[in-house]
Amino acid sequence: MGYALAEGQFRKILPEGAKVPDIVPKGLFAHNIKEFTNLAALLPELYQEFGAQPL
């Protein structure tokens, strides 16, 4: 957090002295748990249907 991909390189975008509030990574953590739980339910079915197809 606080970095972005710009012109093919990761660059710090957070101003000096600024901090990401503690609630932001905590919220992202909670969101990720929810999303990965959803993916665990969806991916096997999607793989079964589309897994043999080339990317």
Side-chain angles (χ1 to χ4, degrees):
M1 294 190 162
Y3 287 80
L5 185 62
E7 299 173 8
Q9 294 188 9
F10 286 104
R11 298 175 193 246
K12 184 178 178 186
I13 60 170
L14 199 62
E16 279 302 318
K19 294 182 181 180
V20 175
D22 287 344
I23 191 70
V24 174
K26 289 177 183 177
L28 182 58
F29 178 71
H31 168 78
N32 287 345
I33 290 171
K34 189 174 186 179
E35 287 301 316
F36 282 111
T37 300
N38 290 336
L39 284 174
L42 294 172
L43 287 179
E45 186 178 321
L46 288 173
Y47 183 78
Q48 195 171 36
E49 187 173 344
F50 300 107
Q53 295 179 11
L55 295 176

